[in-house]
Amino acid sequence: MKTEFSLAQLADPDIAEADKILRACVHCGFCTATCPTYVLLGDELDSPRGRIYLIKEMLEKDQAPTAEVVKHVDRCLSCLACMTTCPSGVNYMHLVDQARVRIEQRYQRPLTERLLRQVLAFVLPDPQRFRASMWLARLARPLAVFLPTPRPSATPGLIQRLKAMLALAPNRLPSPGPLPGSVFAALGKKRGRVALLQGCAQQVLAPRINQAAISLLTRHGIEVVLVRDEQCCGALTHHLGNDHDALARARANIAAWRAEAAGEGLDAILVTASGCGTVIKDYGYLLREDAAFAADAAKVSALAKDITEYVAGLSLPTTAIGDNIVVAYHSACSLQHGQKITGLPKELLSKNGFVVKDVPESHLCCGSAGTYNILQPELAGRLRDRKVANIASVKPDMIAAGNIGCMVQIASGTSVPVVHTIELLDWATGGSRPALNASS
């Protein structure tokens, strides 16, 4: 794709990167076949190729984002299926992230939308605030029937988004998990030491996921630490375009993890929420121009691993759980497209006795995508229903996934138990049988 940035524009590292990304695009359109919003809407501007044109024009002309640009960029899930499909290696992720930052900085959203986004950025990254909000949502949910039915609109309104928030709130919350700063000793001979990302929403909605990870890791000789000063990874605010907040959280985490590594050492930083893992693995890129953090950011990105990557290296004894339990494996977009981890979780489950079934249209997003199921509830609901129907076609006893957002989204549309991959692996290697759903 030909670009026309000026030399002054190209002096900006972000514009220089955008120029490189845009020039890699050859207009082939392969991305449209795997883009969830294009599959649903059939609008070229709701495909990666269409959004690339919009972003190119905005950046080249150094324009403030228009309402049309904002509408189509907001509809992007950042599922990154287009990057898996693209034969030219276009890094759409870094381009659309840059567009979101520009929208956040230069576009005046309606007051109610600005307030909602500010609330999400304030509440979701903080487990205590998020827990309190879930209690309030449970109290408010019966009142949702009194909210008026919104008119159909290309852009969801506040009422529709509030209804989506209330619908996603769980019926009950589990007890909190272990406190930051906790260390779990290896059982038997110590083989390694890792930090386990505590997460934000996950430690409120399903602390059992990390507990299963701790159970499996310590049982196989790995010491696990929950680093005291760790924060939200920054993914939530990063995808809202608030890079000031996201990068501040990244710097705080890098400092905390590097201090831990310099102390008793770390073999890896393990992540059980793949949406978080994709962003942490990108810290090196996000802070590439920060002289004080660039080197350490790259080291942290290299240390970060999805839990299945690390567990695969432990050479778990292959077992047979029995009962021929059929597991539909949902491959989270952030794992299969963002981190390029596709077959490994399924292999681990199969080796440990589960009958693993691939889900039709497994490349398509479930509609969770961080805050997408709140900000774009109609599209998210259609994607969830499509995903649930595809899962139902393989008649599973359980659904396994590697991301809490996907688990909550899918569980809201099915009665089939939804569990994390690590819960099944823990159970198969001597741990407890997993509970039913992420919201149970």
Side-chain angles (χ1 to χ4, degrees), residues 113-133:
E113 187 168 354
R114 294 203 307 272
L115 291 174
L116 176 59
R117 285 171 172 267
Q118 288 169 7
V119 167
L120 292 174
F122 180 74
V123 170
L124 293 179
D126 186 288
Q128 291 183 331
R129 293 174 194 155
F130 184 61
R131 179 174 287 275
S133 74

Side-chain angles (χ1 to χ4, degrees), residues 81-264:
C82 55
M83 289 178 60
T84 297
T85 311
C86 179
S88 303
V90 175
N91 195 320
Y92 177 82
M93 176 174 74
H94 290 158
L95 186 67
V96 78
D97 285 346
Q98 190 175 147
R100 289 198 170 104
V101 172
R102 179 163 290 223
I103 289 169
E104 179 69 12
Q105 293 173 346
R106 299 195 189 182
Y107 182 75
Q108 184 82 337
R109 294 182 185 273
L111 177 61
T112 55
E113 187 168 354
R114 294 203 307 272
L115 291 174
L116 176 59
R117 285 171 172 267
Q118 288 169 7
V119 167
L120 292 174
F122 180 74
V123 170
L124 293 179
D126 186 288
Q128 291 183 331
R129 293 174 194 155
F130 184 61
R131 179 174 287 275
S133 74
M134 288 297 96
W135 283 109
L136 290 173
R138 285 179 58 204
L139 294 175
R141 190 158 52 186
L143 303 177
V145 295
F146 299 108
L147 292 173
T149 300
R151 295 177 181 176
S153 171
T155 302
L158 181 62
I159 298 299
Q160 193 176 358
R161 287 164 169 164
L162 287 175
K163 285 186 171 184
M165 290 172 67
L166 294 176
L168 288 168
N171 293 323
R172 64 184 181 88
L173 290 176
S175 300
L179 294 173
S182 301
V183 178
F184 300 88
L187 302 180
K189 183 180 178 181
K190 182 177 173 180
R191 300 168 57 190
R193 187 174 194 268
V194 299
L196 182 64
L197 182 76
Q198 294 152 78
C200 305
Q202 180 173 290
Q203 66 172 282
V204 175
L205 297 173
R208 68 174 201 268
I209 294 171
N210 271 6
Q211 289 168 346
I214 292 167
S215 169
L216 183 148
L217 290 166
T218 54
R219 197 166 58 250
H220 291 85
I222 307 301
E223 182 175 283
V224 180
V225 57
L226 307 182
V227 177
R228 186 180 304 279
D229 295 324
E230 182 185 283
Q231 296 191 15
C232 167
C233 70
L236 288 165
T237 50
H238 176 61
H239 293 306
L240 288 171
N242 187 351
D243 255 16
H244 177 75
D245 179 272
L247 295 181
R249 294 181 185 279
R251 291 185 185 99
N253 283 335
I254 290 164
W257 290 327
R258 293 300 292 163
E260 188 69 39
E264 296 189 46

Side-chain angles (χ1 to χ4, degrees), residues 58-60 67 86 104 110 116 134 149 191 198 204 279 292 321 326 332 335 339 346 390 408 412:
M58 176 180 67
L59 295 180
E60 275 186 343
C86 179
E104 179 69 12
L116 176 59
M134 288 297 96
T149 300
R191 300 168 57 190
Q198 294 152 78
V204 175
V279 169
I321 198 69
V326 176
L335 200 57
Q339 300 182 49
K346 294 185 287 187
N390 278 320
V408 172
S412 69

Side-chain angles (χ1 to χ4, degrees), residues 275-328:
C276 302
T278 300
V279 169
I280 295 170
K281 288 182 176 183
D282 207 36
Y283 276 3
Y285 171 82
L286 294 174
L287 291 166
R288 67 197 184 285
E289 297 296 325
D290 187 326
F293 278 89
D296 281 346
K299 291 175 182 175
V300 162
S301 290
L303 277 175
K305 292 184 182 293
D306 183 75
I307 186 69
T308 55
E309 288 182 284
Y310 190 80
V311 166
L314 295 180
S315 300
L316 299 181
T318 55
T319 58
I321 198 69
D323 300 328
N324 290 321
I325 295 172
V326 176
V327 174

Side-chain angles (χ1 to χ4, degrees), residues 69 174 405 426:
V69 170
D426 178 49

Side-chain angles (χ1 to χ4, degrees), residues 23-93:
R23 284 177 174 270
C25 180
V26 296
H27 316 267
C28 68
F30 285 6
C31 57
T32 60
T34 57
C35 174
T37 49
Y38 184 78
V39 168
L40 288 183
L41 302 173
D43 186 338
E44 174 75 12
L45 294 180
D46 283 314
S47 73
R49 184 170 62 179
R51 293 185 182 106
I52 285 171
Y53 282 123
L54 293 174
I55 295 167
K56 174 182 181 289
E57 183 177 16
M58 176 180 67
L59 295 180
E60 275 186 343
K61 296 181 179 179
D62 197 20
Q63 295 175 331
T66 64
E68 185 75 358
V69 170
V70 173
K71 178 179 75 172
H72 295 295
V73 170
D74 281 354
R75 285 180 178 173
C76 174
L77 295 115
S78 279
C79 69
L80 309 181
C82 55
M83 289 178 60
T84 297
T85 311
C86 179
S88 303
V90 175
N91 195 320
Y92 177 82
M93 176 174 74

